[in-house]
Amino acid sequence: MAERLGFIGLGLMGTPMTRNLLRAGHAVTVWNRTRAKAEALAAEGARVAASPAAVARGANIVLACLADAAAVEAVVTGPEGVLAGIGPGQVFVDLSTNSPPVSARLAAALAGRGAQMLDAPVSGGDVGAAAGTLSIMAGGPAAAFRRCLPVLEVLGGRITHMGEAVGAGGYAKLANQIMVGIHLAALGEALVFGAKAGLDPRRLAGALAGGLANSEVLRVKLPKVLSGDFAPGGRVATQLKDLDYVAESLAAMDFELPVAGLVRELYRELAAAGHADEDHSAIVRLCEARAGVTVRG
Ligand SMILES: NC(=O)c1ccc[n+]([C@@H]2O[C@H](COP(=O)([O-])OP(=O)(O)OC[C@H]3O[C@@H](n4cnc5c(N)ncnc54)[C@H](OP(=O)(O)O)[C@@H]3O)[C@@H](O)[C@H]2O)c1
């Protein structure tokens, strides 16, 4: 059934997601802080709203895919934010990778207006967003999840309800980001190790892909690492933000994850060296600099 949808946040991920919702026949009202990105989608059938509140007034389900917790808070609770336009029976679906405690707080604020929330972060990158094959990990009331499922199925290939608590989706996504960050560091280290030993990185990668070392990270990110084209994809700054949320969660849980902690420090170093806006596979740069070899060429 075609729904009246809203979409807020038309970045690398939000733009292809919105495009897929339009192609699936949904009416979509959009808002983006930088208006030009919203106007670009008007040509494909989106209605451009003047504020997040206006999006919420015109939609049954309001989706958002924003940079970080601060952006989601601003869009929901700020002047002319979602809270000012949303009401009973509506659902706010946050597809951003957000801090789980922030998601829980926003859900309570939305409940005060009679609306429900799902935190439903995604994995699969810009490639998965364009293909509509994302893995979506949702937290929130089962009834809201069931209601939004047909819409989420346009965006993703695997949609998992992680639990009734808003924040459950975020914790699942942070677990995902622990694995992605460590895998990217492992890929960089393995290729640099091989190059230092005189192996051809391309031939090595082919061999690795046939055994237990194979992974989605190897499949999707190897071309970037070998070509040195670090146009994002997922940004270094985004990966670091996610590992910061992992660290916040660990502090609240009062335990440590040593490898995730180390990879967070590496991403911090990479961002500080001026690579924050590159693809997160650029972590190979740090391994190359330490070893004095390059895997490109
Ligand atoms: N890229 C990936 O591979 C990937 C994969 C999985 C999940 N994610 C998650 O998806 C989310 C979006 O990522 P992305 O790669 O699409 O990021 P992006 O291209 O940087 O887009 C970020 C969006 O957030 C908006 N924004 C930032 N700060 C804002 C503020 N204070 N108020 C209002 N809007 C604000 C930006 O608006 P402007 O256009 O005005 O800057 C833009 O629409 C993030 O939470 C990320 O962790 C990303």
Side-chain angles (χ1 to χ4, degrees), residues 10 12-13 32-34 37 66-67 97 122 234-235 238 241:
L10 303 169
L12 282 173
M13 299 293 287
N32 193 64
R33 181 181 61 176
T34 305
K37 294 183 194 171
L66 294 154
T97 304
V122 307
R235 290 189 177 87
T238 303
K241 176 258 301 183

Side-chain angles (χ1 to χ4, degrees), residues 270-297:
L270 192 61
H275 302 293
D277 286 329
E278 290 185 348
D279 190 80
H280 49 170
S281 57
I283 195 167
V284 69
R285 287 185 187 281
L286 296 183
C287 315
E288 289 176 325
R290 282 170 172 76
V293 297
T294 174
V295 300
R296 290 184 283 287

